[in-house]
Amino acid sequence: MLDLRWVVANLDEARRRLLTRGATVAEALAPIEALAAERRHLIQSSETQRAEQRKASEQMRSLKGEEQAQLRARLKALSDEVKDKEARLKEVEEQIERALLNVPNLPHESVPLGASEKDNQVIRTWGEKPALVSPRAHTEIGEKLGMLDFERAAKVSGARFVFYRGALARLELAIVQLFLDSARERGYLELLPPYLVNADSMRGTGQLPKFEEDLFKTTSNHYLIPTAEVPVTNYHRDEILDGARFPLKYAAFSPCFRSEAGSYGKDAKGIIRQHQFHKVELVRFEKPENAHPALEELVRDAQAPLQKLGLHHRVVLLNTADLGFSAEKTYDLEVWLPGQGAYREISSCSTFGDFQARRAQIRFRPAQGEKPRLAATLNGSGLAVGRTVVAILENGQQADGSVILPEAIRSYMGGLERLTPV
C-alpha cells in the first residue's frame, strides 16, 4: 500500500499520478480526503493543547489555594481532551489505512502515459516468425493429436479446464523442469510453496480486498493461490532481512487458480485462459535503489527459457493505464502464436517498489546498527507453462499434423523429437 503520511501530505500529487491510470482509479482517494483533513485538525489541536498543558504545569509552581485548584482542574480537562483526540486520531488513521488498501500503486515516472493497452510500447523483439502456410490454432492441433481433451474435462470439472494426454502431459512437466533449471542457472533458489494461503498473505501482495471475486476461497477461509508470487513474497512477511544478503532471488513452480470473473467470453476456447494452470514464478527482494536495474535483469531472466526454446517474442513496456494494481512498472513478454496471428502475453515482470513490502511488513537492515527500511519486491512469470505449450504446438506444427519439438526440450522428453497422434 501507499505510505499513509506521504499520501495525506501530498494528496494533490497522489491524485495527479493516479489519474494517469484512469479517471475512475483516482476516485479511490475520495474517502481519504475528508479523513486526512480531520487528521490534520486533530494533530494541530492536540499540539495546541499540549503546549497549553506545558504552560499550565509551569504556572502551577507559583500558584496556591483556589487558583491552583482551578488550574489543576483545567489541566485534568486538557489531559482528557488530548486523550480523546489521540484515540480519535488512531481511529482516523486506521480508517485511512483500510481505505488505502483499495488504492493502487503510483506509476513510476519512467512509465509511459496511455489510455489503453494500445499505448504500450514495444521495446525489443527476439527471433523470427516461422514461415507457415495456413497455420492452425493449438486447439485443433492438440485435439487431432489426441492430446487435448476438453470434452471430458468439462464433464469432470466444467468450462475452462482440460485433460492433457500422453506426450503432451509429459511436455508440460518437461517445460516446468527446463524453466526451473534456467532459473537455477541464473542464481534463483528453488522453493516449493503451499498452494493454500491465508487472507493476510493475499492482502500482503495486493489481491485482497480489491480482487476477492477473482479468487477461489475454501470453506476453511483459505485461498487457492492465483500465482506463486503470493506464498513466495509472503515467505518473508513480518521479517527484518539482512541487507548484505540482497538480492534474494527465488523460483517456484505451482499450479495457479483463478476464477476469471472479469473475463466472461474472453479466450473461452483453448488453454490460453484456464481456471487452473501451471506457472514458474520468479520473485526478488531488493534494496529500493536497485529495484529498477533489477527489473531489467528480471526481464532477461524470463526471456532466457523462451530463447532456449527458439520462440519468437517481444518485450513490451506497459503504459500507466495498463498497469496491474500493485505494480509501479511492468514489462510483458509476448510470444508469437501463428494460429492466432497475434502476440500473446506469456510473462509479466513487475517492480512494486515498497507497495507490497509495506502491506506485508518486509524490511531489511542496510548495515549493522542502522534503522530497518522497507524492501522492494519484484516478480515475473518465468514462464506461464500452458501458454508455452500453446506456443510450441503452434510454432512447431507440420503439414502432416505432427509437431516438431524445440531441441532444448528434447533431452527432457527422453530424446523425443516430435509429437505424433496418440
Side-chain angles (χ1 to χ4, degrees), residues 24-25 42 52 71 110 120 158 162 185 188 192 218 226 246 261 268 286 332 335 370 384 399:
T24 58
V25 176
L42 288 167
E52 187 178 348
L71 192 55
S110 62
N120 294 336
V162 67
E185 291 166 4
Y188 289 81
L192 188 60
T218 72
F246 276 15
E286 299 275 354
D332 277 358
V335 69
E370 291 190 18

Side-chain angles (χ1 to χ4, degrees), residues 8-191:
V8 297
N10 300 275
L11 272 171
D12 289 342
E13 174 65 7
R15 187 183 300 104
R16 181 191 68 79
R17 291 173 66 181
L18 285 174
L19 277 171
T20 65
R21 283 177 167 267
T24 58
V25 176
E27 293 174 3
L29 283 176
I32 296 172
E33 295 186 32
L35 291 167
E38 183 180 358
R39 179 180 179 273
R40 284 193 297 273
H41 171 73
L42 288 167
I43 291 173
Q44 291 167 0
S45 178
S46 295
E47 288 175 349
T48 299
Q49 289 179 320
R50 286 194 191 95
E52 187 178 348
Q53 278 181 303
R54 288 192 294 272
K55 183 178 179 181
S57 295
E58 291 173 3
Q59 291 176 334
M60 282 284 289
R61 301 189 188 100
S62 60
L63 297 176
K64 294 180 180 179
E66 183 64 24
E67 288 183 327
Q68 188 184 64
Q70 289 177 354
L71 192 55
R72 183 178 291 110
R74 175 58 182 155
L75 274 171
K76 175 67 168 59
L78 280 172
S79 177
D80 291 341
E81 289 175 20
V82 169
K83 287 179 181 177
D84 289 344
K85 285 184 171 64
E86 288 176 343
R88 176 56 186 162
L89 178 62
K90 183 179 179 182
E91 291 176 359
V92 167
E93 291 192 336
E94 287 173 352
Q95 290 177 37
I96 294 174
E97 291 275 5
R98 288 194 294 272
L100 282 172
L101 288 173
N102 290 298
V103 178
N105 204 351
L106 302 177
H108 190 262
E109 292 83 351
S110 62
V111 175
L113 298 177
S116 73
E117 62 181 17
K118 295 179 181 178
D119 299 317
N120 294 336
Q121 297 180 4
V122 177
I123 302 301
R124 60 182 180 270
T125 61
W126 186 91
E128 301 293 335
K129 296 178 182 178
L132 298 172
V133 179
S134 301
R136 294 164 294 149
H138 71 279
T139 49
E140 181 182 351
I141 298 168
E143 288 179 323
K144 286 191 173 181
L145 285 170
M147 295 182 181
L148 286 178
D149 193 334
F150 296 99
E151 185 177 343
R152 289 187 175 92
K155 175 182 66 177
V156 170
S157 301
R160 297 191 187 274
F161 291 94
V162 67
F163 274 104
Y164 284 55
R165 286 165 47 86
L168 199 65
R170 185 177 184 182
L171 177 62
E172 175 101 356
L173 298 177
I175 291 170
V176 169
Q177 198 57 60
L178 182 145
F179 289 173
L180 290 173
D181 287 350
S182 177
R184 197 178 301 111
E185 291 166 4
R186 302 177 79 85
Y188 289 81
L189 176 67
E190 186 176 342
L191 297 178

Side-chain angles (χ1 to χ4, degrees), residues 355-368:
F355 189 85
Q356 292 180 330
R358 182 172 287 104
R359 286 171 170 250
Q361 281 301 292
I362 303 168
R363 296 176 292 167
F364 72 99
R365 199 179 300 280
Q368 188 173 1

Side-chain angles (χ1 to χ4, degrees), residues 295-322:
L295 177 60
E296 303 298 326
E297 183 178 294
L298 178 63
V299 172
R300 293 191 293 272
D301 294 339
Q303 279 188 273
L306 280 176
Q307 293 169 351
K308 286 183 178 182
L309 293 169
L311 294 171
H312 170 58
H313 62 278
R314 65 187 187 183
V315 179
V316 178
L317 175 61
L318 301 195
N319 72 82
T320 51
D322 205 27

